[in-house]
Amino acid sequence: MRAISGRGASAARLLPWTGTGGKPCYLVGGGTGYVSRMADQAEEVQLDMAYELLGHTDGLLTEPGVTAPELHFLASRLSECLGQVHRIAESRGRRLEAVLPQPDEAVPPQSDSEISP
């Protein structure tokens, strides 16, 4: 999803939470407002939780006698975290694409004589 702003094309930010019925939420703007800061904080918490869960996963999977309900719970939490991390990656990728030159806008390559060390 791309939106046109006064400065050119920019990506509408996919927020790290969903709306009613699980529908995606987007934010259009400069990325410096209150909602953007809240989204940054939510992403940070989600990434920290995923990192901590990976640490627990290593410990749990090496423990003898882990029960099926424990593994089910672990798999459920891993699935949730993977979904959150995927959403964050998708959001950041879209915003990065909006600021990078598109293939038709790419700067032509320089010849060898024009390249400086």
Side-chain angles (χ1 to χ4, degrees):
M1 169 182 249
R2 292 175 72 89
I4 304 299
S5 69
R7 294 179 290 153
S10 66
R13 179 177 183 173
L14 175 64
L15 295 173
W17 53 79
T18 58
T20 307
K23 293 182 181 180
C25 292
Y26 293 92
L27 174 67
V28 178
T32 58
Y34 176 76
V35 177
S36 289
R37 289 191 304 274
M38 293 300 297
D40 291 341
Q41 290 174 357
E43 286 180 353
E44 185 177 341
V45 167
Q46 290 171 338
L47 291 172
D48 287 345
M49 290 172 57
Y51 182 76
E52 287 183 26
L53 183 60
L54 285 174
H56 291 302
T57 300
D58 289 340
L60 188 65
L61 293 177
T62 59
E63 258 183 48
V66 177
T67 65
E70 289 173 322
L71 289 175
H72 182 267
F73 182 79
L74 176 64
S76 297
R77 300 299 75 80
L78 286 170
S79 178
E80 288 173 9
C81 284
L82 183 58
Q84 291 171 346
V85 169
H86 179 268
R87 184 180 196 85
I88 293 167
E90 182 179 350
S91 175
R92 292 180 180 184
R94 287 180 183 182
R95 287 182 283 153
L96 185 58
E97 285 176 353
V99 297
L100 292 177
Q102 299 302 312
D104 56 334
E105 303 168 1
V107 177
Q110 297 177 342
S111 67
D112 290 340
S113 61
E114 296 175 359
I115 298 176
S116 347

